[in-house]
Amino acid sequence: MTRATVGLLFSDIEGSTRLLQQLGPDYAAVLLEHRRLLRAAYLDHGGTEQGTEGDSFFVTFATAADAVAAALAGQLALAGHDWPTDVAVRVRMGVHVGSVEQLADTLVGMAVHEAARIAAAAHGGQVLVSDPAARLATPLPPGAGWRDLGGHRLKDLAAVVQLHQLTHPDLVGEFPPVRSQGSSRSNLPAQPTSFIGRVREVAEVERLLADARLVTVTGTGGAGKSRIALRVAAEAASRYTDGAWFVDLARVSDPGAVGGAFAAALGQPDLATSELVTTLGDRQLLLLVDNCEHVIAAVSDVVTDLVLRCPEVAVLATSREPLGVAGEVVWRVPPLTREDALELLGTRGRAVNAGFALTDANRQAAEVLCDRLDAIPLAVELAAARLTSLSVEQLSSRLDQRFRLLAGGARGGMERHRTLQATVDWSYGLLDPTAQALLRRLGVFAGGFTLDAAEAVCTDLDALTVVDTIDQLVVKSLVIAEPHDAEVHYRLLETIRQYAVDRLVQADELVATRDAHLRWVQGLVAGAEPTLWLRDDDPGCRARLDANEGNIRAALEWAADREQFDTAAGIVFGILSWLIGRNRSRDGLEWSQRLLAAGVAGESRALLAVAQLFYASNLAPIDRDMVEQVRDSLPLLTGTARAWLQPVAEAAVAAWSYPPGDRDAAERAIAVCERTLAQAGGSTHLSLLILQPLIWVNLDAGHLEAGRRWADEGVAIAVAAADGGLFESRMTLNRARIAQAMGDLDAAWVDAERSMRTARATGEPFVANAAARLLAQVADARGEYDRARDVLASVLDTLADFAPAAEVAAVHEQLARYAELAAAR
């Protein structure tokens, strides 16, 4: 990113909606003429359009003088234009100067927000210019001058802004007072820091408030509820004859004092609660009631009275849970977008460290930081406060200790917002003991959970209590509920999850709860294993595993830490085809080897030996020692519940143990594979796992017709399987190899291309790359060297993920060869 100081100009038509209603279809011509006049004026003075939407412009200039001259030229052009009868096109403009950064295709920086606010304070036909821009805009164009309008507090800007009006004999000189904050009809507090992002959210709450008299903004602690509500109240205040009034309940601990807080906010501290409704009567005003959750019953009583008996009073409330009042519309604050979170980090970081900047070098670490903080504004701001002494990279790598690390809130702010720990403590302290216990235990879930899973780790609570308590936690913004087909899935923000685990440790419940979580994952995998290995009769099986990837990983780590190696072995084996299908063979291989090294014995050792072999077959040439481990372990499966695995293991040993080129050994391997295929009992996956080596051995032995028949059968079985294409790409690739060996290049090309397309769609780069390399060989044999080069080049991005360096180097050499052959033609 580059930083530069530029002149900034914002403009838009005042009353454009009214003008549209007045002109109807003729409005488009007026809008386009307005754009033509202003665009010409801006371009004549070196302007660069950064954004044009509807009737608005955002333009930057090399200097403040250029921006001021362009604004004047634009207003003169508009004033001198012959508009249709009864049409008044009045454009308001704001000019500022400041430092900005280029982030992708967007300019960011406080100066952009300040310039937009200056323009919003102007009236149609008026040009408002900040004091720094006015001082730098010399010399002024002929006839132009300044009128000092004094200091003004503008929306979302902490400091008072000194404004000047650009004057000229040919322009209107008198306007109403600047649209600044500070009206006696409002007590909305000025914010000490800038408001960043949330454009869509503010607009959505404004829309809700226009249609309902009670809107409650809810969300987890630090999500930005108060800032959004204040912004909405400031934007909407002009719609209420008697203004917008801020009722701050943050420091009210006595429910009996809630009514007094309302009265004090309205400037009548001695007013009794019973007199509040009478006093407000038919006044038209907006009440922003902030921080309701700790006195929510008392707030609900007051608000119910106001809504029922004061027809012109609207209420905008913020709370970590809804008020529960009839007619209430509840809106939950979403996390910041990543770009807004990054801008917040950068802006607040520069406030504490003038030398800080987001750059290409630290952007990835900043993204990780914001993502791991769930893009919670308070957490990002507390992280930014640490940038006085730490880099973004250092912060990002230390977030496992976030509650000790993020403790740099501003003095004078609410105590519960000064540290991340205090913010979550506040929410936790408002829960009853049962809800606290359930929240602690939900911390063991990594990524999410279902109702059944929650019941599994809360065995001391009956099912109905779990349902009621999760509902309570969702309402209180501590658990997120996400509809998912016919079942709701739940999750905790990472910050809440870490807090829950800390509390679990303090309560001495960690071991028991994580053991229960492990048992639940073990049951999940045991239920999936028959589908994955034998029957393929549950289309939702893989989706359930996908949804619980984090839980499976966490359970395996816990099982290994607790030396429950047999349990871990069953999980690693049970999910084999799921991991392979999700391009996670390396994870499966590492777990297999880790557990084998731990000294597992018996059936578990046999399962891990087989799993290791199949995981490895998707990554690199087979290690003969792995084959021997399977051969030695085969007897351990006899008489076990997984004896059905023996035929598959025998076929794999036979296919991968004979020396390549040894015809007699190949014939024996073919015989073993054909015998074990008959023993597979018609199981789709067992048959495919045996067909794979059977096809390879026939190809190696030169039995191409037999190999093609087996490949045809494999493709047919794979296409009919409900495994999302897991085996289809492999079987189609096998058939392509047979066709290549038979000299049928057209058939080889069709099947290899189909294999590559299917593998890429199912996320299997190992198979996709093998298919691409076969396509390159076919193109090479046809003399199509450009085509061969292009298809081979497509594997480079992912080849290094699983291929050894020598193989990657060989691909580069082949690419160079194709380039030379293509150039020589």
Side-chain angles (χ1 to χ4, degrees), residues 385-593:
R386 283 289 194 175
L387 293 173
T388 54
S389 57
L390 295 174
S391 68
V392 173
E393 292 83 355
Q394 288 173 312
L395 268 174
S396 181
S397 66
R398 287 167 170 78
L399 285 184
D400 287 342
Q401 299 295 320
R402 66 184 65 192
F403 291 107
R404 293 179 60 189
L405 186 67
L406 304 184
R411 296 184 182 90
M414 284 191 296
E415 187 64 30
R416 63 177 180 266
H417 280 182
R418 292 194 58 193
T419 72
L420 194 60
Q421 178 82 40
T423 297
V424 189
D425 277 344
W426 173 260
S427 293
Y428 187 77
L430 295 174
L431 300 176
D432 62 50
T434 299
Q436 289 181 344
L438 182 59
L439 181 65
R440 290 194 301 268
R441 293 168 194 177
L442 296 180
V444 299
F445 290 105
F449 56 94
T450 59
L451 195 57
D452 290 344
E455 292 170 357
V457 300
C458 299
T459 53
D460 58 330
L461 301 177
D462 64 77
L464 189 57
T465 299
V466 173
V467 171
D468 288 343
T469 309
I470 285 182
D471 182 68
Q472 181 187 153
L473 294 174
V474 171
V475 167
K476 293 179 182 296
S477 305
L478 289 167
V479 170
I480 298 171
E482 299 173 326
H484 192 273
D485 296 330
E487 185 177 41
V488 176
H489 287 192
Y490 306 93
R491 65 181 176 90
L492 305 182
L493 294 177
E494 181 60 20
T495 295
I496 303 298
R497 195 189 72 80
Q498 283 197 21
Y499 180 89
V501 172
D502 288 347
R503 286 287 184 166
L504 203 59
V505 172
Q506 292 172 15
D508 195 25
E509 298 171 345
L510 181 67
V511 172
T513 308
R514 296 221 43 188
D515 281 347
H517 177 261
L518 174 59
R519 288 193 296 273
W520 172 75
V521 169
Q522 187 180 13
L524 174 74
V525 173
E529 184 180 308
T531 288
L532 296 175
W533 277 99
L534 300 171
R535 295 193 298 269
D536 200 22
D537 57 354
D538 183 0
C541 172
R542 285 180 174 77
R544 285 194 295 276
L545 295 177
D546 287 343
N548 287 287
E549 180 178 339
N551 286 316
I552 294 169
R553 188 186 308 113
L556 280 171
E557 290 290 352
W558 180 252
D561 289 345
R562 300 281 290 172
E563 297 187 358
Q564 297 183 32
F565 300 127
D566 288 339
T567 299
I571 294 173
V572 170
F573 171 79
I575 60 176
L576 187 145
S577 75
W578 170 70
L579 276 185
I580 291 175
R582 295 300 179 263
N583 189 33
R584 298 277 302 284
S585 294
R586 190 174 301 281
D587 289 347
L589 179 61
E590 289 173 356
W591 269 108
S592 301
Q593 293 175 337

Side-chain angles (χ1 to χ4, degrees), residues 27-39 83:
Y27 174 74
V30 170
L31 176 64
L32 291 174
E33 188 64 8
H34 143 269
R35 283 187 186 171
R36 184 186 67 80
L37 293 171
L38 289 188
R39 185 169 280 132
W83 297 103

